[in-house]
Amino acid sequence: MTLPMVVRDPGLPARVRIHEVGARDGLQNEKGTVPTEVKAEFIHRLAAAGLATIEATSFVHPKWVPQLADAEALFPQLQDLAGTVDLPVLVPNEKGLDRALALGARQVAVFASVTESFAKANLNRTVDEALAMFEPVVARAKAAGAQVRGYLSMCFGDPWEGAVPEAQVVRVCRALLDMGCDELSLGDTIGVATPGQVTALLTALNTAAVPTGTLGVHFHDTYGQALSNTLAALRHGVTTVDASAGGLGGCPFAKSAIGNLATEDLVWMLDGLGIETGVDLGRLTATSMWMAGRLGRPSPSRTVRALTHED
Ligand code: HMG
Ligand code: MG
């Protein structure tokens, strides 16, 4: 298998934690429903490829996201991984948290929007109503000893509202941190960001006393900018990057969203920069090829395609 030549860049971190979202962000957007056993095997294969944080599913309303309605059946099938792999799950409200805690989830994520339009479309709430909904979720999750991630969607642009003022992102970041979230993930839900905007937003957040160490980045790749945006974030000191095996993904409530940054494209770049991730690129690529076979279409990842057309 071809590997990139390793040339380090002293301005970048030594290690990056990849937060793998293919099984959740990827599969929530499939037209058909993937069988529970296939999801379980996908997650086991991702773990065997060295991914240590694998977002497993969502405990949302099954009518809103029927593709993930099997969360209760799936999560117990992952129990052999608990202890070696973090398996965060999305919980929008206390009902979702109850369902997740009942199955022993140790990492949960609430998901806010920084725009009113997407808060309504995704959560049937205003931005502030959604934050009020999350408050007891975060408090109870922390009291139960779980780690809590707070997602923020539409940080760089919104399909209904256009440009998004930085102040809106700052406000929601502060609210989620004040609630007790351990980590935030800045979502470019529709993939419109460019690198200068990433640096500007991270700088504005630092100015507002949001430390870089609490921030992860979550780029969708609609305009092919996800990897460039990630590099800008790494240069700013971010060390948590969300990505989706094979580039699966999108959001059913934002039609212009397509797949996340492909984990293989990310790992190719990080391997080339000598940045540790713990991920075996060959095993990961084989997993995405296997999943592409289950879904009946090729992976959009350039790295997956390049590595599988070598011979
Ligand atoms: P709602 O209709 O306003 O809910 O939906 P409600 O609170 O009025 O409750 C209505 C009924 O739903 C009640 O049942 C509840 O019990 C039930 P009834 O009394 O009528 O029989 N219910 C639930 N059932 C099971 N599990 C639950 C649950 N909650 C309520 N958790 C709600 C509000 C938040 C539930 C709904 O809008 C929802 O489920 N939304 C989820 C949307 C979603 O999953 N979107 C994709 C994930 S976000 C994303 O992809 C972006 C991200 O990747 C970052 C980025 O890219 O930007 C993270
Ligand atoms: Mg997403």
Side-chain angles (χ1 to χ4, degrees):
M1 186 178 94
T2 307
L3 293 172
M5 197 174 105
V6 179
V7 182
R8 288 171 210 282
D9 179 330
L12 295 174
R15 191 175 169 82
V16 160
R17 186 172 67 84
I18 299 179
H19 185 109
E20 168 61 44
V21 298
R24 193 281 303 170
D25 209 339
L27 300 186
Q28 76 181 8
N29 208 40
E30 281 302 307
K31 288 208 167 50
T33 299
V34 175
T36 309
E37 292 64 37
V38 173
K39 293 176 181 171
E41 184 169 349
F42 182 40
I43 291 169
H44 279 91
R45 285 176 182 246
L46 291 170
L51 286 153
T53 307
I54 306 174
E55 207 163 84
T57 187
S58 298
F59 291 89
V60 296
H61 195 299
K63 285 199 185 127
W64 281 66
V65 186
Q67 295 89 340
L68 304 184
D70 62 349
E72 262 81 7
L74 174 66
F75 203 74
Q77 294 186 32
L78 309 174
Q79 281 325 293
D80 57 311
L81 297 175
T84 49
V85 176
D86 286 347
L87 297 166
V89 294
L90 264 56
V91 293
N93 52 18
E94 289 191 87
K95 174 130 191 179
L97 180 70
D98 290 339
R99 293 171 57 202
L101 291 180
L103 293 173
R106 307 299 300 148
Q107 295 87 24
V108 299
V110 294
F111 45 104
S113 169
V114 303
T115 66
E116 293 296 340
S117 306
F118 189 64
K120 189 74 190 159
N122 200 41
L123 294 159
N124 198 24
R125 301 283 186 279
T126 65
V127 170
D128 285 337
E129 285 167 354
L131 291 172
M133 177 167 77
F134 300 147
E135 203 154 342
V137 176
V138 177
R140 286 187 46 215
K142 299 289 296 175
Q147 282 177 307
V148 186
R149 161 176 261 226
Y151 275 107
L152 295 90
S153 286
M154 304 299 176
C155 293
F156 299 91
D158 174 284
W160 299 277
E161 300 179 20
V164 173
E166 285 171 352
Q168 284 176 221
V169 185
V170 168
R171 182 173 86 85
V172 178
C173 276
R174 277 262 46 104
L176 290 170
L177 285 178
D178 291 348
M179 248 177 239
C181 285
D182 301 293
E183 170 181 281
L184 304 178
S185 174
L186 302 173
D188 183 14
T189 319
I190 55 169
V192 290
T194 50
Q197 195 188 0
V198 172
T199 305
L201 180 60
L202 291 169
T203 305
L205 287 167
N206 294 157
T207 305
V210 175
T212 304
T214 62
L215 297 171
V217 287
H218 180 105
F219 295 119
H220 285 261
D221 204 24
T222 321
Y223 294 91
Q225 303 298 300
L227 201 52
S228 321
N229 291 337
T230 300
L231 188 57
L234 297 180
R235 219 172 270 298
H236 193 87
V238 169
T239 57
T240 299
V241 179
D242 298 3
S244 165
L248 294 170
C251 179
F253 304 102
K255 289 301 167 213
S256 38
I258 67 151
N260 295 80
L261 168 63
T263 314
E264 289 84 355
D265 297 4
L266 174 64
V267 172
W268 178 276
M269 180 179 81
L270 297 179
D271 280 356
L273 286 161
I275 296 175
E276 256 183 76
T277 63
V279 176
D280 178 325
L281 184 57
R283 289 186 88 164
L284 177 61
T285 301
T287 296
S288 290
M289 285 303 291
W290 171 84
M291 196 63 198
R294 306 281 84 67
L295 296 174
R297 58 165 195 282
S299 161
S301 159
R302 301 291 288 265
T303 301
V304 170
R305 283 196 243 159
L307 291 178
T308 51
H309 289 105
E310 285 194 326
D311 30 63

